[in-house]
Amino acid sequence: INIHTASVACQTCHIPSTALKNPTKLIWDWSTAGQDRPEDHFTYLKIKGDFVYKENVEPVYLWFNGNNAYRYLLGDKIDPTRPTLITQPAGDITDPTAKIFPFKIHIAKQPYDSVFMYLLQPRTGGGGDGGGGFWETFDWPSALALGAQDTGLQFSGQYGFAETWMYWPTTHMVQPKENALQCDDCHSADGRLDWAALGYPGDPIKWGGRSIPELSSTTP
């Protein structure tokens, strides 16, 4: 079973789920902020919008070589018709330095300029002078205009909300060894790994592992 460490990160088997004691935030929708609705830390806050929290969350699995293939930078153009990746793990099945690694995906809806097509950073708090931030006025146009002053980006006055994804590597919350994943957790008809998405023709226990010079053809 130790041969797995050539292609599978230790965290993959030893952190089978997260948020065991307290729920973790998976979705944050800024577009609903500012509404006068009942508030609860885990579902809705007027200053921040709607949330979705969950407990005992199963990770998603991607190849990861320890670096980011992409990181969103202030002013980068977006396509609001599809999710904008704030971070994207680097690595694939052909990368000998990459291993299958567990991630949490944080999904959000964030404001963007619908003319210049980039994400906008609103001014939220106003500091000691009042400042007129969103948490004081609950007015998106003025908060985005003030945020543009802070960042140096242009604000056209036209805005919308775009979906963003952020991949968070799962490293904390290692569980006791008796909770580690076993063979059938992955190598079964209803296993948790999507072999096709990872680049395999099928379950490598039947098809064999990835073909990389540094690795045996039978490596999982």
Side-chain angles (χ1 to χ4, degrees), residues 32-115:
T32 60
Q35 301 175 11
D36 291 316
R37 292 163 42 190
E39 294 186 278
D40 177 271
H41 178 75
F42 293 108
T43 58
Y44 180 77
L45 290 175
K46 183 176 180 179
I47 64 172
K48 295 183 178 181
D50 281 292
F51 310 117
V52 173
Y53 280 79
K54 289 188 178 180
E55 297 178 333
N56 196 25
V57 177
E58 183 177 306
V60 296
Y61 299 96
L62 301 169
W63 291 103
F64 184 45
N65 64 19
N67 299 301
N68 278 312
Y70 173 79
R71 187 188 303 265
Y72 184 86
L73 298 177
L74 191 68
D76 285 348
K77 301 292 185 181
I78 71 166
D79 178 356
T81 65
R82 61 183 187 179
T84 295
L85 300 182
I86 302 299
T87 59
Q88 181 181 3
D92 58 37
I93 195 171
T94 66
D95 182 347
T97 67
K99 298 184 180 185
I100 297 171
F101 202 95
F103 288 86
K104 164 186 158 179
I105 301 180
H106 182 279
I107 299 175
K109 282 190 178 179
Q110 299 180 234
Y112 76 98
D113 192 296
S114 55
V115 173

Side-chain angles (χ1 to χ4, degrees), residues 110-133:
Q110 299 180 234
Y112 76 98
D113 192 296
S114 55
V115 173
F116 295 117
M117 293 298 180
Y118 45 55
L119 295 177
L120 292 168
Q121 179 177 308
R123 183 185 294 179
T124 50
D129 60 356

